[in-house]
Amino acid sequence: MIFKFRLLSSEKDDFVRDFEVRSGQTFYDLHMAIQKNCGYDSSQIASFFLCTNDWEKETEITLFELPEEHGKGILAMDNSVLSVYITGLKQRLLYIFDIFNERAFFIEVVGIRDDDSSKSYPCCALSAGSPPVQVLPDDTLPGKERNDKLDDPGAEDTFKGNDEPIEE
């Protein structure tokens, strides 16, 4: 069987991707197809989450296998076959591509069909719009206060090493 996944972004209204993946392939295969198609650095941490119909996170499927004590109930992408976790049409997932800023693609299963042995999978069946950047630059992070003295390497110091004011 072939699963068709539709990816949408809350950051880019025109971004849409459909990926077709064999049911016997893994979440890692889907992850790599997304990374390659979007031009992302695949060494960055990423996770899938199986979700409720209201997009509430349930099971996490991570890029790296975690030690037993830290990874309780967390699955690894390369060991997680799609057919075990994808149960039907309209199933929802989140793909967190920027872990540190919790930025994600919203994914829904929009098709299930018989395998076409003449095609290579996974494949991108629809590509529209440009993807959001993978990692936000530091100066665009929410809640970051800008300190011009720290950000400007040429700024003059106002204190000596012993915290005494510099005479001007």
Side-chain angles (χ1 to χ4, degrees):
M1 296 185 80
I2 301 297
F3 293 126
K4 182 187 269 188
F5 297 96
R6 173 151 302 149
L7 281 69
L8 301 173
S9 169
S10 62
E11 296 175 38
K12 298 262 191 162
D13 291 338
D14 65 339
F15 175 85
V16 179
R17 296 291 189 277
D18 283 357
F19 288 96
E20 294 182 348
V21 187
R22 283 192 171 100
S23 61
Q25 290 182 290
T26 64
F27 279 91
Y28 182 77
D29 296 319
L30 177 57
H31 159 75
M32 290 306 294
I34 294 168
Q35 292 283 308
K36 183 177 180 181
N37 179 275
C38 292
Y40 290 167
D41 173 2
S42 62
S43 69
Q44 296 289 322
I45 299 170
S47 283
F48 287 97
F49 283 90
L50 302 177
C51 295
T52 66
N53 287 338
D54 295 324
W55 299 104
E56 294 173 17
K57 295 176 185 173
E58 292 185 322
T59 305
E60 183 176 7
I61 304 169
T62 63
L63 182 56
F64 304 108
E65 195 165 342
L66 298 173
E68 187 76 26
E69 64 273 7
H70 297 292
K72 214 174 216 181
I74 299 176
L75 307 167
M77 287 182 199
D78 62 345
N79 296 330
S80 301
V81 176
L82 293 169
S83 63
V84 173
Y85 302 98
I86 303 303
T87 58
L89 285 173
K90 300 193 183 269
Q91 185 171 350
R92 292 182 169 180
L93 302 98
L94 285 174
Y95 175 69
I96 310 292
F97 62 89
D98 180 356
I99 291 286
F100 300 108
N101 297 302
E102 279 285 312
R103 295 169 57 238
F105 291 130
F106 295 88
I107 302 175
E108 189 169 317
V109 178
V110 295
I112 300 174
R113 63 175 175 74
D114 289 334
D115 194 344
D116 179 353
S117 59
S118 67
K119 287 178 85 175
S120 178
Y121 296 98
C123 68
C124 183
L126 172 70
S127 179
S130 59
V133 295
Q134 184 177 20
V135 179
L136 293 173
D138 283 345
D139 61 350
T140 61
L141 296 177
K144 180 179 185 265
E145 293 181 25
R146 184 171 168 85
N147 182 330
D148 290 331
K149 295 257 187 213
L150 293 176
D151 291 341
D152 181 5
E156 292 184 31
D157 290 333
T158 57
F159 291 97
K160 291 182 181 178
N162 62 0
D163 290 339
E164 292 178 19
I166 298 174
E167 302 207 3
E168 297 185 36

